[in-house]
Amino acid sequence: MSMFCYQCQEAAKGTGCTVAGVCGKKEELANMQDLLIFVLKGISIYATKARELGIENEKANKIVFDGLFMTITNANFDDARFVDFIKEALKAREELKTAYIKAGGLEIKNLHDSAIWTGTSIEDFEAKNKSVGVLATINEDVRSLRELVIYGLKGLAAYTEHAYNLDYTDNSLNVFMQKALADTTNDNLSVDELIALVLETGKFGVDGMALLDKANTSTYGNPEITKVNIGVSDKPGILISGHDLRDMEDLLIQTEGTGVDVYTHGEMLPANYYPAFKNYTHFIGNYGNAWWQQKEEFESFNGPILFTTNCIVPPKKDAKYANKVFTTGTSGYPGSIHIAGRKDGKRKDFSEIIELAKTCASPIEIEKGEIIGGFAHNQVVQLADKVVDAVKTGAIKKFFVMAGCDGRHASRSYYTEFAEKLPKDTVILTAGCAKYRYNKLQLGDINGIPRVLDAGQCNDSYSLVVIALKLKEIFELENINDLPIVYNIAWYEQKAVIVLLALLYLGVKDIHLGPTLPAFLSPNVAKVLIENFGIAGIGEAEDDIKLFME
Amino acid sequence: MKTFVDKEACIGCGICENICPSVFEMREDGKSYVKGDTVAAENKDDALEAECECPVEAISHEE
């Protein structure tokens, strides 16, 4: 075994990748990512102690959330970036240690190796990185709970970073991420204490999603009902993928008047819903589907691709688009040009992508028509009377939250079949790229309310929570589980994990999770989730529908 | 269409079987095997998808 990772839904054999990642990451990269997480734990131990003495280090805070984000599935495949980042992280840890001691901090008893080990070269890092990964925790249940927390923190880190890019911060998120990372090194925590930490991670997940919602909507307006074009224009284009709306804004501003059009891809589709972006006539619409179809869709697009976050799928060796891939933020791919971060409040410089786009052919049209979306909380609350009326008259019998991520497994056709076979008096509430399994089906509407209500990106699952809580208030219900809402969620990576933990924290029960349960849930931990929260997997679409409609 | 798995390159991740279980089967040696002689017409798209998604490009095909 040369690596071990089981953080995503496609983990090999449903247990873990041990030779190379199904995602495409090689063992060297997997091990370097493990070392980064290890060093972030060390930073967190010192940061948490230093904080007790009133010391706050913004640089270290950013390193922690950026570092966590970089290790999200399909975010960053660039080994060299990880090596450099680990060096930065070690420097930051030493700065915190120095500040802590200077402020009178006492020697930390039983200091964890992550706060002690150091190195300067790739060779030093390679000598260490195979022994600090997931399997370093021997007890299977402790390991499972620690990893559940860490993957939740990765999702929270991503949301924190996007909010930060819009100049919105909530330091309690940094405080928690670091406290929790430090806690994963504490061998004295009981299983019950770790379970409490998992729920606490969910609490901060809610806070993180709330912050990002505030950041996005305060900056770009509240998403509104929008018909999104899925066809193409006759000009060359740039395809922007991932989640970062600040990058979207910079790109739209710089491409205006250049003769190059802009298209969104994957999780960037919801950018079409924001009022601030609707003034750009060269913003054509959305191209393609969820992340895993990118190898074909990026070829037919013809123009350059800008990744602002995951999910990057390593291009095939003979891919024509391979030399047109750009990354920015925490994303990265070896050989792809990486657009640097913002300095002194200036915009990112996308001129190189624009110049390349001008030399490319216009996109090949792969489909025609429109997708409807924009049903974030503000829009839905405006329709509240209509929705409440439909529920009271029985026109809407049940809501199905089908938010989450899409992936490659053929078994995910379940979600298409499920959506198609749902009774006509039901409405699907969605967010995240799981929507691509059913957002182009013509499922009709109920009294003018579309049967698929897309709130936006995975972080916009927050909107679904706000909507549920609003309905609970209107119907004067005691418990969120008394609502006619069923949760049938698809997951793939770690942002889905924080969304799940957020829902568990809010008391949502009986969530069905698919297409498979996480490999990182040990049998005992899975049992805890099943017995205490009613977590379940998926069966056959028709059987599940019968079960849910009872 | 005929499809092939390069056993040397195959890392046994199982994604091909998960994308196209009618054509690819993970066996006890930890490698992927192609079931049958040719790929049935109704499985062609999924088999090509699996080829595309193989993280080590171990799958190839012949029309």
Side-chain angles (χ1 to χ4, degrees):
Chain A
M1 178 181 312
S2 43
M3 63 169 276
F4 186 84
C5 176
Y6 62 180
Q7 71 174 358
C8 83
Q9 184 274 325
E10 291 181 0
K13 306 183 193 71
T15 51
C17 293
T18 56
V19 177
V22 168
C23 60
K25 75 181 171 188
K26 302 277 188 297
E27 57 174 279
E28 293 83 7
L29 182 66
N31 295 327
M32 213 50 93
Q33 291 189 352
D34 287 349
L35 187 63
L36 173 55
I37 296 293
F38 182 73
V39 176
L40 295 183
K41 291 177 184 179
I43 289 179
S44 297
I45 289 169
Y46 271 116
T48 302
K49 291 300 276 185
R51 198 164 270 129
E52 289 169 15
L53 303 178
I55 295 164
E56 199 58 58
N57 185 317
E58 277 188 34
K59 189 175 81 173
N61 292 345
K62 186 167 197 298
I63 284 173
V64 170
F65 64 70
D66 277 347
L68 284 165
F69 197 162
M70 282 168 73
T71 68
I72 283 183
T73 305
N74 295 337
N76 200 317
F77 291 87
D78 190 340
D79 301 67
R81 286 268 297 285
F82 280 93
V83 170
D84 287 343
F85 203 85
I86 289 168
K87 291 177 183 170
E88 289 302 310
L90 285 167
K91 255 196 233 132
R93 190 192 69 190
E94 291 313 294
E95 276 175 27
L96 273 165
K97 178 182 174 185
T98 304
Y100 170 71
I101 293 168
K102 196 168 169 203
L106 300 173
E107 191 187 331
I108 303 171
K109 286 203 180 69
N110 301 317
L111 186 58
H112 190 259
D113 189 31
S114 63
I116 302 171
W117 171 83
T118 193
T120 50
S121 62
I122 297 183
E123 290 73 31
D124 289 344
F125 298 173
E126 284 170 350
K128 186 68 176 175
N129 66 18
K130 284 198 177 61
S131 62
V132 298
V134 171
L135 299 177
T137 302
I138 311 291
N139 181 296
E140 196 187 46
D141 298 328
V142 171
R143 180 196 306 155
S144 176
L145 290 165
R146 284 177 172 177
E147 293 306 306
L148 180 52
V149 166
I150 291 172
Y151 304 151
L153 294 178
K154 290 187 186 192
L156 176 56
Y159 296 162
T160 302
E161 198 252 7
H162 293 304
Y164 177 90
N165 292 340
L166 290 169
D167 302 321
Y168 280 78
T169 57
D170 171 357
N171 205 48
S172 72
L173 300 177
N174 293 319
V175 174
F176 177 74
M177 281 188 272
Q178 291 159 26
K179 178 198 97 91
L181 275 175
D183 281 351
T184 66
T185 67
N186 185 346
D187 291 335
N188 295 319
L189 289 181
S190 66
V191 163
D192 280 341
E193 283 170 311
L194 285 170
I195 291 172
L197 186 63
V198 167
L199 284 173
E200 203 184 357
T201 305
K203 180 235 178 277
F204 283 94
V206 176
D207 293 349
M209 289 197 285
L211 178 71
L212 182 53
D213 179 80
K214 186 163 172 222
N216 284 339
T217 58
S218 301
T219 313
Y220 302 117
N222 278 296
E224 52 195 28
I225 301 178
T226 308
K227 288 191 180 151
V228 180
N229 178 15
I230 57 175
V232 302
S233 74
D234 57 3
K235 297 205 190 61
I238 293 171
L239 190 60
I240 176 168
S241 188
H243 306 72
D244 198 277
L245 295 188
R246 183 81 196 270
D247 287 340
M248 180 70 185
E249 182 192 356
D250 284 358
L251 184 67
L252 285 172
I253 288 172
Q254 287 172 48
T255 45
E256 203 168 17
T258 61
V260 172
D261 288 339
V262 171
Y263 295 77
T264 53
H265 168 261
E267 274 278 67
M268 202 52 96
L269 158 61
N272 287 271
Y273 311 151
Y274 285 87
F277 299 144
K278 291 186 175 179
N279 299 321
Y280 297 94
T281 55
H282 68 291
F283 177 11
I284 304 301
N286 197 64
Y287 189 87
N289 298 284
W291 63 273
W292 60 273
Q293 289 177 254
Q294 67 184 243
K295 287 199 226 191
E296 297 101 331
E297 291 172 353
F298 288 178
E299 290 286 46
S300 58
F301 184 76
N302 287 329
I305 293 104
L306 172 62
F307 279 105
T308 64
T309 64
N310 57 311
C311 279
I312 300 174
V313 179
K316 295 205 284 187
K317 285 193 197 74
D318 57 356
K320 283 196 238 77
Y321 72 86
N323 60 357
K324 296 183 206 166
V325 172
F326 292 77
T327 59
T328 192
T330 51
S331 72
Y333 194 78
S336 293
I337 295 173
H338 188 74
I339 307 291
R342 292 177 186 88
K343 285 202 166 65
D344 310 318
K346 293 206 189 89
R347 301 196 182 280
K348 284 186 184 178
D349 180 4
F350 292 134
S351 52
E352 208 174 336
I353 310 176
I354 297 169
E355 287 315 301
L356 176 58
K358 287 177 182 171
T359 68
C360 298
S362 63
I364 294 170
E365 192 162 74
I366 51 179
E367 52 194 340
K368 269 185 160 72
E370 286 173 335
I371 321 174
I372 297 183
F375 295 94
H377 57 84
N378 183 272
Q379 177 68 83
V380 175
V381 164
Q382 281 180 31
L383 299 170
D385 288 347
K386 241 179 155 179
V387 172
V388 167
D389 213 56
V391 174
K392 284 190 173 148
T393 60
I396 296 179
K397 286 240 163 38
K398 258 196 169 94
F399 294 90
F400 284 81
V401 172
M402 293 178 69
C405 321
D406 197 13
R408 291 176 274 222
H409 286 194
S411 57
R412 288 175 182 264
S413 60
Y414 161 96
Y415 293 103
T416 306
E417 190 188 343
F418 188 92
E420 279 170 335
K421 291 184 173 165
L422 273 177
K424 298 281 180 280
D425 49 10
T426 57
V427 166
I428 295 170
L429 300 173
T430 190
C433 65
K435 64 165 137 292
Y436 284 99
R437 287 281 170 177
Y438 43 80
N439 68 345
K440 295 172 185 174
L441 302 173
Q442 302 303 321
L443 296 180
D445 67 84
I446 297 173
N447 302 344
I449 302 163
R451 285 191 58 228
V452 176
L453 298 181
D454 177 26
Q457 299 171 326
C458 54
N459 41 286
D460 294 312
S461 296
Y462 177 73
S463 267
L464 304 183
V465 166
V466 170
I467 292 165
L469 292 174
K470 188 80 194 158
L471 288 174
K472 174 171 165 278
E473 190 193 304
I474 292 172
F475 286 109
E476 293 171 348
L477 296 170
E478 289 290 311
N479 195 313
I480 197 172
N481 296 302
D482 294 333
L483 283 164
I485 303 182
V486 168
Y487 294 79
N488 196 9
I489 289 180
W491 79 287
Y492 169 66
E493 45 94 324
Q494 299 76 47
K495 279 172 263 177
V497 175
I498 193 62
V499 171
L500 175 70
L501 295 184
L503 292 174
L504 293 183
Y505 170 74
L506 291 169
V508 176
K509 298 272 190 290
D510 305 328
I511 297 172
H512 285 237
L513 194 59
T516 53
L517 289 183
F520 51 84
L521 298 179
S522 65
N524 287 332
V525 172
K527 195 155 172 268
V528 165
L529 291 178
I530 291 165
E531 286 175 0
N532 295 327
F533 300 94
I535 295 272
I538 60 172
E540 292 298 320
E542 285 187 18
D543 295 337
D544 283 356
I545 291 174
K546 263 202 211 92
L547 178 74
F548 291 134
M549 294 304 295
E550 272 160 22
Chain B
M1 181 178 99
K2 279 188 195 258
T3 188
F4 311 96
V5 175
D6 178 346
K7 302 285 182 288
E8 293 262 322
C10 175
I11 58 167
C13 78
I15 194 79
C16 51
E17 184 188 61
N18 276 315
I19 290 173
C20 187
S22 25
V23 173
F24 299 95
E25 182 179 65
M26 301 308 297
R27 295 201 187 147
E28 269 166 32
D29 61 354
K31 302 280 181 178
S32 172
Y33 285 79
V34 174
K35 298 199 283 197
D37 210 29
T38 55
V39 176
E42 67 264 21
N43 296 325
K44 190 176 169 185
D45 281 350
D46 282 350
L48 289 173
E49 180 65 43
E51 178 176 326
C52 193
E53 296 305 328
C54 172
V56 291
E57 299 190 28
I59 301 174
S60 56
H61 71 277
E62 240 171 45
E63 295 290 354

